[in-house]
Amino acid sequence: MIELQAEWQLTYAALAVPRPVHTAVLRRRLQVLSGRLLFHPYWSGPGVPAARVELRRWARAVGELL
């Protein structure tokens, strides 16, 4: 799931640059990744808000390594 969040963050960053290339493809990819993250079975347990923050932190660290 960390890799999934890292992919989401990289895709979002690619859309955030001035005049991104392949905007429609990136938006579609972001929607697919968002759906996978949102409906992942892990989020059915307790402590979801804190877990989401921690996931983003870990994904940022992984994204920096990529």
Side-chain angles (χ1 to χ4, degrees):
M1 197 158 71
I2 293 171
E3 290 177 11
L4 185 63
Q5 180 68 39
E7 284 183 54
W8 187 96
Q9 289 175 194
L10 290 172
T11 304
Y12 188 88
L15 273 171
V17 298
R19 298 185 183 198
V21 179
H22 307 294
T23 306
V25 173
L26 289 171
R27 286 182 181 167
R28 198 172 311 120
R29 179 77 177 141
L30 197 60
Q31 288 176 335
V32 168
L33 292 170
S34 294
R36 288 183 187 167
L37 282 167
L38 181 63
F39 295 109
H40 194 279
Y42 179 77
W43 303 125
S44 62
V48 171
R52 287 184 197 264
V53 171
E54 194 61 29
L55 175 63
R56 288 186 193 114
R57 285 185 190 147
W58 278 96
R60 261 187 238 116
V62 168
E64 291 173 3
L65 295 174
L66 297 177

